Coordinates of all heavy atoms in Angstrom, one line a residue:
L4 N 102.6 99.0 86.5 CA 101.2 98.8 86.2 C 100.8 99.9 85.2 O 101.2 101.0 85.2 CB 100.4 98.9 87.4 CG 100.5 97.8 88.5 CD1 99.8 98.2 89.8 CD2 100.1 96.5 88.0
E5 N 99.9 99.5 84.3 CA 99.3 100.5 83.4 C 98.4 101.4 84.2 O 97.6 101.0 85.0 CB 98.4 99.7 82.4 CG 97.8 100.6 81.3 CD 96.9 99.9 80.4 OE1 97.3 98.7 80.0 OE2 95.9 100.4 79.9
W6 N 98.6 102.7 84.0 CA 97.8 103.7 84.7 C 97.3 104.8 83.7 O 97.8 104.8 82.6 CB 98.5 104.3 85.9 CG 99.6 105.1 85.5 CD1 100.9 104.7 85.1 CD2 99.6 106.6 85.3 NE1 101.7 105.8 84.8 CE2 100.9 107.0 84.9 CE3 98.7 107.5 85.5 CZ2 101.2 108.3 84.6 CZ3 99.0 108.9 85.3 CH2 100.3 109.2 84.8
G7 N 96.4 105.6 84.1 CA 95.9 106.6 83.3 C 95.1 107.7 84.0 O 94.8 107.5 85.2
L8 N 94.9 108.8 83.3 CA 94.1 109.9 83.9 C 92.8 110.0 83.1 O 92.8 109.8 81.9 CB 94.9 111.2 83.7 CG 96.2 111.3 84.4 CD1 96.9 112.6 84.0 CD2 96.1 111.3 85.9
K9 N 91.8 110.4 83.9 CA 90.5 110.6 83.2 C 90.0 112.0 83.7 O 89.9 112.3 84.9 CB 89.5 109.5 83.7 CG 88.1 109.7 83.1 CD 87.1 108.6 83.5 CE 85.7 108.9 83.0 NZ 84.7 108.1 83.6
A10 N 89.7 112.8 82.7 CA 89.3 114.2 83.0 C 88.0 114.2 83.9 O 87.2 113.3 83.7 CB 89.1 115.0 81.7
P11 N 87.9 115.1 84.8 CA 88.9 116.1 85.1 C 89.9 115.8 86.1 O 90.9 116.5 86.2 CB 88.0 117.3 85.5 CG 86.9 116.6 86.3 CD 86.6 115.3 85.5
N12 N 89.6 114.7 87.0 CA 90.6 114.6 88.1 C 90.8 113.2 88.6 O 91.2 113.0 89.7 CB 90.0 115.4 89.3 CG 88.7 114.9 89.8 OD1 88.0 114.2 89.1 ND2 88.4 115.3 91.0
D13 N 90.4 112.2 87.8 CA 90.5 110.8 88.3 C 91.8 110.1 87.8 O 92.3 110.4 86.7 CB 89.4 109.9 87.8 CG 88.0 110.4 88.4 OD1 88.1 111.0 89.4 OD2 87.0 110.1 87.8
I14 N 92.4 109.3 88.7 CA 93.6 108.5 88.4 C 93.2 107.1 88.5 O 92.7 106.6 89.5 CB 94.8 108.8 89.3 CG1 95.1 110.3 89.3 CG2 96.0 108.0 89.0 CD1 96.1 110.8 90.4
Y15 N 93.5 106.3 87.4 CA 93.2 104.9 87.3 C 94.4 104.0 87.3 O 95.4 104.4 86.7 CB 92.4 104.6 86.0 CG 90.9 105.1 86.1 CD1 90.6 106.4 86.1 CD2 89.9 104.2 86.3 CE1 89.3 106.9 86.2 CE2 88.6 104.6 86.4 CZ 88.3 105.9 86.4 OH 87.0 106.3 86.5
I16 N 94.3 102.8 87.9 CA 95.2 101.7 87.7 C 94.5 100.7 87.0 O 93.4 100.2 87.4 CB 95.8 101.2 89.1 CG1 96.6 102.2 89.8 CG2 96.6 99.9 88.8 CD1 97.2 101.8 91.1
L17 N 95.0 100.3 85.8 CA 94.3 99.5 84.9 C 92.9 100.1 84.6 O 92.8 101.3 84.2 CB 94.2 98.1 85.3 CG 95.6 97.4 85.4 CD1 95.5 96.0 86.0 CD2 96.3 97.4 84.1
D18 N 91.8 99.5 84.9 CA 90.5 100.1 84.7 C 89.7 100.4 86.0 O 88.6 100.7 85.9 CB 89.6 99.2 83.8 CG 89.3 97.9 84.4 OD1 90.0 97.5 85.4 OD2 88.4 97.1 83.9
G19 N 90.4 100.5 87.1 CA 89.8 100.8 88.4 C 90.2 102.2 88.9 O 91.4 102.5 88.9
K20 N 89.3 103.0 89.3 CA 89.6 104.3 89.9 C 90.4 104.1 91.2 O 90.0 103.4 92.1 CB 88.4 105.1 90.2 CG 88.7 106.5 90.7 CD 87.5 107.4 91.0 CE 87.9 108.7 91.5 NZ 86.7 109.5 91.8
W21 N 91.6 104.7 91.2 CA 92.5 104.6 92.3 C 92.6 105.8 93.2 O 92.8 105.8 94.4 CB 93.9 104.1 91.9 CG 94.9 104.1 92.9 CD1 94.9 103.3 94.0 CD2 96.1 105.0 93.0 NE1 96.0 103.6 94.8 CE2 96.7 104.6 94.2 CE3 96.6 106.0 92.3 CZ2 97.9 105.3 94.6 CZ3 97.7 106.6 92.7 CH2 98.4 106.3 93.8
A22 N 92.5 107.0 92.5 CA 92.8 108.2 93.2 C 92.1 109.4 92.5 O 91.6 109.2 91.4 CB 94.3 108.5 93.3
G23 N 92.1 110.5 93.2 CA 91.5 111.7 92.7 C 92.3 112.9 93.1 O 93.0 112.9 94.1
I24 N 92.4 113.9 92.2 CA 93.1 115.2 92.4 C 92.1 116.2 92.7 O 91.1 116.4 91.9 CB 94.0 115.5 91.2 CG1 95.0 114.4 90.9 CG2 94.7 116.9 91.5 CD1 95.7 114.6 89.6
L25 N 92.3 117.0 93.8 CA 91.3 118.0 94.2 C 92.1 119.4 94.1 O 93.2 119.5 94.6 CB 90.8 117.8 95.6 CG 90.2 116.4 95.9 CD1 90.0 116.2 97.3 CD2 89.0 116.2 95.1
I26 N 91.5 120.4 93.5 CA 92.1 121.7 93.5 C 91.0 122.7 93.9 O 89.9 122.7 93.4 CB 92.5 122.0 92.0 CG1 93.6 121.0 91.6 CG2 93.1 123.4 91.9 CD1 94.0 121.1 90.1
E27 N 91.4 123.6 94.8 CA 90.5 124.7 95.3 C 91.3 126.0 95.3 O 92.4 126.0 95.7 CB 90.1 124.3 96.7 CG 89.1 125.4 97.2 CD 88.6 125.0 98.6 OE1 88.4 123.8 98.9 OE2 88.6 125.9 99.5
V28 N 90.7 127.0 94.8 CA 91.3 128.4 94.8 C 90.5 129.2 95.8 O 89.3 129.2 95.8 CB 91.2 129.0 93.4 CG1 91.8 130.4 93.4 CG2 92.0 128.2 92.4
S29 N 91.3 129.8 96.7 CA 90.7 130.7 97.7 C 91.4 132.0 97.8 O 92.6 132.1 97.6 CB 90.8 130.0 99.1 OG 90.0 128.8 99.1
K30 N 90.7 133.0 98.3 CA 91.3 134.3 98.5 C 91.5 134.4 100.0 O 90.6 134.2 100.8 CB 90.3 135.4 98.0 CG 90.9 136.7 98.1 CD 91.4 137.1 96.7 CE 91.7 138.6 96.7 NZ 92.7 138.9 95.7
I31 N 92.7 134.6 100.4 CA 93.1 134.8 101.8 C 93.7 136.2 102.0 O 94.8 136.4 101.4 CB 94.0 133.7 102.3 CG1 93.4 132.3 102.1 CG2 94.4 133.9 103.8 CD1 94.3 131.1 102.5
D32 N 93.0 137.1 102.7 CA 93.4 138.5 102.7 C 93.6 139.0 101.3 O 92.6 139.0 100.5 CB 94.7 138.6 103.5 CG 94.5 138.2 105.0 OD1 93.4 138.4 105.5 OD2 95.5 137.7 105.6
L33 N 94.7 139.5 100.9 CA 94.9 140.0 99.6 C 95.6 139.0 98.6 O 95.8 139.3 97.5 CB 95.8 141.3 99.6 CG 95.2 142.4 100.4 CD1 96.2 143.6 100.5 CD2 93.9 142.9 99.8
N34 N 95.8 137.8 99.1 CA 96.4 136.7 98.3 C 95.4 135.7 97.8 O 94.5 135.4 98.4 CB 97.5 136.0 99.2 CG 98.6 136.9 99.7 OD1 99.2 137.6 98.9 ND2 98.8 136.9 101.0
T35 N 95.7 135.3 96.5 CA 94.9 134.2 96.0 C 95.7 133.0 96.1 O 96.9 132.9 95.7 CB 94.6 134.5 94.5 OG1 93.8 135.7 94.4 CG2 93.8 133.3 93.9
C36 N 95.2 131.9 96.8 CA 95.9 130.7 97.0 C 95.3 129.5 96.3 O 94.0 129.5 96.1 CB 95.9 130.4 98.5 SG 96.6 131.7 99.5
C37 N 96.1 128.6 95.9 CA 95.6 127.4 95.2 C 96.0 126.2 96.1 O 97.2 126.0 96.4 CB 96.2 127.3 93.8 SG 95.7 125.8 93.0
F38 N 95.0 125.5 96.6 CA 95.3 124.3 97.4 C 95.1 123.0 96.5 O 94.1 122.9 95.8 CB 94.3 124.2 98.6 CG 94.5 125.4 99.5 CD1 93.7 126.5 99.3 CD2 95.4 125.4 100.5 CE1 93.8 127.6 100.2 CE2 95.6 126.4 101.4 CZ 94.8 127.6 101.2
I39 N 96.0 122.1 96.5 CA 96.0 120.9 95.7 C 96.1 119.7 96.6 O 97.0 119.7 97.5 CB 97.1 120.9 94.7 CG1 97.0 122.1 93.8 CG2 97.1 119.6 93.9 CD1 98.2 122.3 92.9
G40 N 95.2 118.8 96.5 CA 95.2 117.6 97.3 C 95.0 116.3 96.5 O 94.4 116.4 95.4
I41 N 95.5 115.3 96.9 CA 95.4 114.0 96.3 C 94.8 113.0 97.3 O 95.3 112.8 98.4 CB 96.7 113.5 95.7 CG1 97.3 114.5 94.8 CG2 96.6 112.1 95.1 CD1 98.7 114.1 94.3
G42 N 93.7 112.3 96.9 CA 93.2 111.3 97.7 C 93.4 110.0 97.0 O 93.1 109.8 95.8
A43 N 94.0 109.0 97.7 CA 94.3 107.7 97.0 C 93.8 106.6 97.9 O 93.9 106.6 99.1 CB 95.8 107.6 96.8
N44 N 93.4 105.5 97.3 CA 93.0 104.3 98.0 C 94.2 103.4 98.2 O 94.8 102.9 97.2 CB 92.0 103.5 97.1 CG 90.7 104.3 96.8 OD1 90.3 105.2 97.5 ND2 90.2 104.0 95.6
I45 N 94.6 103.3 99.4 CA 95.9 102.5 99.7 C 95.5 101.1 100.2 O 95.9 100.1 99.6 CB 96.7 103.3 100.7 CG1 97.1 104.7 100.2 CG2 98.0 102.5 101.0 CD1 97.7 104.8 98.9
F46 N 94.8 101.1 101.3 CA 94.5 99.8 102.0 C 93.1 99.3 101.7 O 92.8 98.1 101.8 CB 94.7 99.9 103.5 CG 96.1 100.1 103.9 CD1 96.5 101.4 104.3 CD2 97.1 99.2 103.7 CE1 97.8 101.7 104.7 CE2 98.4 99.4 104.1 CZ 98.7 100.7 104.6
A47 N 92.2 100.2 101.3 CA 90.8 99.9 101.1 C 90.3 100.7 99.9 O 90.9 101.6 99.5 CB 89.9 100.2 102.3
K48 N 89.1 100.3 99.4 CA 88.5 101.1 98.3 C 87.0 101.3 98.5 O 86.4 100.4 99.0 CB 88.8 100.4 97.0 CG 88.3 98.9 97.0 CD 88.8 98.2 95.8 CE 88.4 96.7 95.9 NZ 89.3 95.8 95.2
P49 N 86.5 102.4 98.1 CA 85.1 102.7 98.3 C 84.3 101.9 97.3 O 84.8 101.6 96.2 CB 85.0 104.2 98.1 CG 86.1 104.5 97.2 CD 87.2 103.6 97.6
E50 N 83.1 101.6 97.6 CA 82.1 101.1 96.6 C 81.4 102.3 96.0 O 80.7 103.0 96.7 CB 81.1 100.1 97.3 CG 81.8 98.8 97.7 CD 80.8 97.8 98.3 OE1 79.6 97.9 97.8 OE2 81.2 97.0 99.1
I51 N 81.6 102.4 94.7 CA 80.9 103.5 94.0 C 80.0 102.9 92.9 O 80.5 102.1 92.1 CB 82.0 104.4 93.3 CG1 82.9 105.1 94.3 CG2 81.3 105.5 92.5 CD1 84.0 105.9 93.8
S52 N 78.7 103.2 93.0 CA 77.8 102.6 92.1 C 78.2 102.8 90.6 O 78.4 103.9 90.2 CB 76.4 103.2 92.3 OG 75.5 102.6 91.4
G53 N 78.3 101.7 89.9 CA 78.6 101.8 88.4 C 80.0 102.1 88.1 O 80.3 102.4 86.9
Q54 N 80.9 102.0 89.1 CA 82.3 102.3 88.8 C 83.2 101.3 89.5 O 83.0 101.1 90.7 CB 82.6 103.8 89.3 CG 84.0 104.2 88.9 CD 84.3 105.6 89.3 OE1 83.8 106.1 90.3 NE2 85.0 106.3 88.4
K55 N 84.2 100.8 88.8 CA 85.1 99.9 89.4 C 86.2 100.7 90.1 O 86.7 101.8 89.6 CB 85.8 99.1 88.3 CG 86.8 98.1 88.8 CD 87.5 97.2 87.8 CE 88.5 96.4 88.4 NZ 89.3 95.7 87.4
T56 N 86.5 100.3 91.3 CA 87.6 101.0 92.1 C 88.7 100.0 92.4 O 88.5 98.8 92.4 CB 87.0 101.6 93.4 OG1 86.4 100.6 94.2 CG2 86.0 102.7 93.1
T57 N 89.8 100.5 92.8 CA 91.0 99.7 93.1 C 91.7 100.3 94.2 O 91.5 101.5 94.5 CB 91.9 99.4 91.9 OG1 92.8 98.3 92.2 CG2 92.6 100.6 91.4
S58 N 92.6 99.6 94.9 CA 93.5 100.1 95.9 C 94.9 99.7 95.6 O 95.1 98.7 94.9 CB 93.1 99.7 97.3 OG 93.3 98.3 97.5
L59 N 95.9 100.4 96.2 CA 97.3 100.0 96.0 C 97.5 98.6 96.5 O 98.3 97.8 95.9 CB 98.2 101.0 96.7 CG 99.7 100.9 96.4 CD1 99.9 101.1 94.9 CD2 100.4 101.9 97.2
S60 N 96.8 98.2 97.6 CA 97.0 96.9 98.2 C 96.5 95.8 97.3 O 96.8 94.6 97.5 CB 96.5 96.8 99.6 OG 95.1 97.0 99.6
D61 N 95.6 96.1 96.3 CA 95.2 95.1 95.3 C 96.3 94.7 94.4 O 96.3 93.6 93.8 CB 94.1 95.7 94.4 CG 92.7 95.8 95.1 OD1 92.6 95.3 96.2 OD2 91.9 96.6 94.6
W62 N 97.3 95.5 94.3 CA 98.4 95.3 93.3 C 99.8 95.0 93.9 O 100.7 94.5 93.2 CB 98.5 96.5 92.4 CG 97.2 96.7 91.7 CD1 96.3 97.7 92.0 CD2 96.6 96.0 90.6 NE1 95.2 97.6 91.2 CE2 95.4 96.6 90.4 CE3 97.0 94.9 89.9 CZ2 94.5 96.1 89.4 CZ3 96.2 94.4 88.9 CH2 95.0 95.0 88.7
T63 N 99.9 95.3 95.2 CA 101.2 95.1 95.8 C 101.0 95.0 97.3 O 100.0 95.3 97.9 CB 102.2 96.2 95.5 OG1 103.5 95.9 96.0 CG2 101.7 97.5 96.1
T64 N 102.0 94.5 98.0 CA 102.0 94.4 99.5 C 102.4 95.7 100.0 O 103.5 96.2 99.7 CB 102.9 93.3 100.0 OG1 102.5 92.1 99.4 CG2 102.9 93.2 101.5
V65 N 101.5 96.3 100.8 CA 101.8 97.6 101.4 C 101.8 97.4 102.9 O 100.7 97.2 103.5 CB 100.8 98.7 101.0 CG1 101.1 100.0 101.6 CG2 100.7 98.8 99.5
E66 N 102.9 97.5 103.6 CA 103.0 97.4 105.0 C 102.6 98.8 105.7 O 103.1 99.8 105.2 CB 104.3 96.9 105.5 CG 104.6 95.5 105.1 CD 106.0 95.0 105.6 OE1 106.4 95.5 106.7 OE2 106.6 94.2 105.0
D67 N 101.8 98.7 106.7 CA 101.4 100.0 107.3 C 102.6 100.8 107.8 O 102.6 102.0 107.5 CB 100.5 99.6 108.5 CG 99.9 100.9 109.2 OD1 99.2 101.6 108.4 OD2 100.2 101.1 110.4
S68 N 103.6 100.2 108.3 CA 104.8 101.0 108.8 C 105.5 101.7 107.6 O 106.0 102.8 107.7 CB 105.8 100.1 109.6 OG 106.3 99.1 108.7
H69 N 105.6 101.0 106.5 CA 106.2 101.6 105.3 C 105.4 102.7 104.8 O 105.9 103.8 104.3 CB 106.4 100.5 104.2 CG 107.4 99.5 104.5 ND1 107.5 98.3 103.9 CD2 108.4 99.5 105.5 CE1 108.5 97.6 104.4 NE2 109.0 98.3 105.4
W70 N 104.1 102.6 104.8 CA 103.2 103.6 104.3 C 103.3 104.9 105.2 O 103.4 106.0 104.7 CB 101.8 103.2 104.2 CG 100.8 104.2 103.7 CD1 99.9 104.9 104.4 CD2 100.9 104.8 102.4 NE1 99.3 105.8 103.6 CE2 99.9 105.8 102.4 CE3 101.6 104.6 101.3 CZ2 99.6 106.6 101.3 CZ3 101.4 105.4 100.2 CH2 100.3 106.4 100.2
Q71 N 103.4 104.6 106.5 CA 103.5 105.8 107.4 C 104.8 106.5 107.2 O 104.9 107.7 107.3 CB 103.4 105.3 108.9 CG 102.0 104.8 109.2 CD 101.9 104.3 110.7 OE1 102.7 104.6 111.5 NE2 100.8 103.6 111.0
Q72 N 105.9 105.7 107.0 CA 107.2 106.4 106.7 C 107.1 107.2 105.4 O 107.6 108.3 105.4 CB 108.3 105.3 106.6 CG 109.7 105.9 106.3 CD 110.2 106.7 107.5 OE1 109.9 106.5 108.6 NE2 111.0 107.7 107.1
F73 N 106.5 106.6 104.4 CA 106.4 107.4 103.1 C 105.6 108.7 103.4 O 106.0 109.7 102.9 CB 105.6 106.5 102.1 CG 105.2 107.3 100.9 CD1 106.1 107.6 99.9 CD2 103.9 107.7 100.8 CE1 105.7 108.3 98.8 CE2 103.5 108.4 99.6 CZ 104.4 108.7 98.6
C74 N 104.5 108.6 104.1 CA 103.7 109.8 104.4 C 104.5 110.9 105.2 O 104.4 112.1 104.9 CB 102.4 109.5 105.1 SG 101.3 108.6 104.1
R75 N 105.3 110.4 106.2 CA 106.1 111.3 106.9 C 107.1 112.0 106.0 O 107.3 113.3 106.1 CB 106.8 110.6 108.1 CG 106.0 110.3 109.3 CD 106.8 109.9 110.5 NE 107.5 108.6 110.2 CZ 106.9 107.4 110.5 NH1 105.7 107.3 110.9 NH2 107.6 106.3 110.2
E76 N 107.8 111.3 105.2 CA 108.8 111.8 104.3 C 108.2 112.8 103.2 O 108.7 113.8 102.9 CB 109.6 110.7 103.6 CG 110.5 110.0 104.6 CD 111.3 108.9 103.9 OE1 111.3 108.8 102.7 OE2 111.8 108.0 104.7
L77 N 107.0 112.4 102.7 CA 106.3 113.3 101.8 C 105.9 114.6 102.5 O 106.1 115.7 101.9 CB 105.1 112.6 101.3 CG 104.2 113.3 100.2 CD1 105.0 113.5 98.9 CD2 103.0 112.5 99.9
H78 N 105.4 114.5 103.7 CA 105.0 115.7 104.4 C 106.2 116.6 104.7 O 106.2 117.8 104.5 CB 104.4 115.3 105.8 CG 104.0 116.5 106.6 ND1 104.8 117.0 107.6 CD2 102.9 117.3 106.6 CE1 104.2 118.0 108.1 NE2 103.1 118.2 107.5
Q79 N 107.3 116.0 105.0 CA 108.6 116.7 105.3 C 109.0 117.4 104.0 O 109.4 118.6 104.0 CB 109.7 115.8 105.8 CG 110.9 116.5 106.1 CD 112.0 115.6 106.7 OE1 112.1 114.4 106.3 NE2 112.8 116.0 107.6
G80 N 108.9 116.7 102.9 CA 109.3 117.3 101.6 C 108.5 118.5 101.2 O 109.0 119.6 100.8
F81 N 107.1 118.4 101.4 CA 106.2 119.5 101.1 C 106.5 120.6 102.1 O 106.4 121.8 101.7 CB 104.8 119.0 101.1 CG 104.3 118.3 99.9 CD1 103.7 117.1 100.0 CD2 104.6 118.8 98.6 CE1 103.3 116.4 98.8 CE2 104.2 118.2 97.5 CZ 103.5 117.0 97.6
T82 N 106.7 120.3 103.3 CA 107.0 121.4 104.3 C 108.2 122.2 103.9 O 108.2 123.4 104.0 CB 107.2 120.8 105.7 OG1 105.9 120.1 106.0 CG2 107.4 121.9 106.7
Q83 N 109.3 121.5 103.4 CA 110.5 122.2 103.0 C 110.2 123.1 101.8 O 110.9 124.1 101.6 CB 111.6 121.2 102.7 CG 112.1 120.5 104.0 CD 113.1 119.4 103.7 OE1 113.2 119.0 102.5 NE2 113.7 118.9 104.7
L84 N 109.3 122.7 100.9 CA 109.0 123.4 99.7 C 108.0 124.6 100.0 O 107.9 125.5 99.1 CB 108.4 122.5 98.7 CG 109.3 121.5 98.0 CD1 108.5 120.6 97.1 CD2 110.4 122.2 97.3
S85 N 107.4 124.6 101.1 CA 106.3 125.6 101.4 C 107.0 127.0 101.4 O 108.1 127.1 101.8 CB 105.6 125.3 102.6 OG 106.4 125.4 103.8
V86 N 106.2 128.0 101.1 CA 106.7 129.4 101.1 C 106.1 130.1 102.3 O 104.9 130.0 102.6 CB 106.2 130.0 99.8 CG1 106.6 131.5 99.8 CG2 106.8 129.3 98.6
D87 N 107.0 130.8 103.0 CA 106.6 131.6 104.1 C 105.8 132.8 103.6 O 106.4 133.7 102.9 CB 107.8 132.0 104.9 CG 107.4 132.9 106.1 OD1 106.2 133.1 106.4 OD2 108.4 133.2 106.9
P88 N 104.5 132.9 103.9 CA 103.7 134.1 103.3 C 104.2 135.4 103.8 O 104.1 136.4 103.1 CB 102.3 133.9 103.9 CG 102.3 132.5 104.4 CD 103.7 132.1 104.7
A89 N 104.9 135.5 104.9 CA 105.5 136.8 105.4 C 106.6 137.3 104.5 O 106.9 138.5 104.5 CB 106.0 136.6 106.8
R90 N 107.2 136.4 103.7 CA 108.3 136.8 102.8 C 107.8 137.4 101.5 O 108.6 137.9 100.7 CB 109.2 135.6 102.5 CG 109.9 135.2 103.8 CD 110.7 134.0 103.6 NE 111.6 134.1 102.5 CZ 112.2 133.0 101.9 NH1 112.0 131.8 102.4 NH2 113.0 133.2 100.9
H91 N 106.5 137.3 101.2 CA 106.0 137.9 99.9 C 106.0 139.4 99.9 O 105.7 140.0 100.9 CB 104.5 137.4 99.7 CG 104.5 136.0 99.1 ND1 104.6 135.8 97.8 CD2 104.2 134.8 99.7 CE1 104.5 134.5 97.6 NE2 104.3 133.9 98.7
N92 N 106.4 140.0 98.8 CA 106.4 141.5 98.8 C 105.1 141.9 98.0 O 104.7 141.4 97.1 CB 107.6 142.0 98.0 CG 108.9 141.7 98.8 OD1 108.8 141.2 99.9 ND2 110.0 141.9 98.1

């Protein structure tokens, strides 16, 4: 599918907003941390005045069990990549 990015944080499939990227910088103790999140419309889409939205299920069949498995594997991958703050010098 044709997709694109719209500044500053929107992700589109064709001409409908499908997802957004959220970034927040916080100070925790003496460390500066950057939290990055992605919100995506999978099974449903919000109604936003004056803006077309879309969901993944508009374009393909998404079974709940497959989506749950994907989320588990994604979480596991991110967990493996996470850094233990106690190891920072």
Side-chain angles (χ1 to χ4, degrees):
L4 295 172
E5 182 182 325
W6 69 277
L8 298 173
K9 179 181 175 190
N12 65 340
D13 295 337
I14 302 171
Y15 282 75
I16 293 180
L17 298 175
D18 62 345
K20 182 177 177 180
W21 172 65
I24 302 169
L25 308 170
I26 300 173
E27 180 179 321
V28 177
S29 296
K30 188 96 170 159
I31 301 175
D32 296 325
L33 298 176
N34 299 308
T35 301
C36 301
C37 179
F38 298 94
I39 301 171
I41 300 173
N44 304 328
I45 305 303
F46 297 106
K48 56 192 172 204
E50 290 187 26
I51 301 173
S52 179
Q54 184 174 37
K55 182 179 176 188
T56 58
T57 191
S58 69
L59 190 59
S60 62
D61 288 343
W62 303 101
T63 186
T64 302
V65 182
E66 293 183 29
D67 187 57
S68 62
H69 292 160
W70 180 248
Q71 289 179 16
Q72 180 65 30
F73 169 79
C74 290
R75 281 191 296 273
E76 290 177 15
L77 182 64
H78 178 264
Q79 183 179 34
F81 281 131
T82 300
Q83 290 172 351
L84 291 174
S85 66
V86 176
D87 180 0
R90 292 177 52 197
H91 280 280
N92 296 350

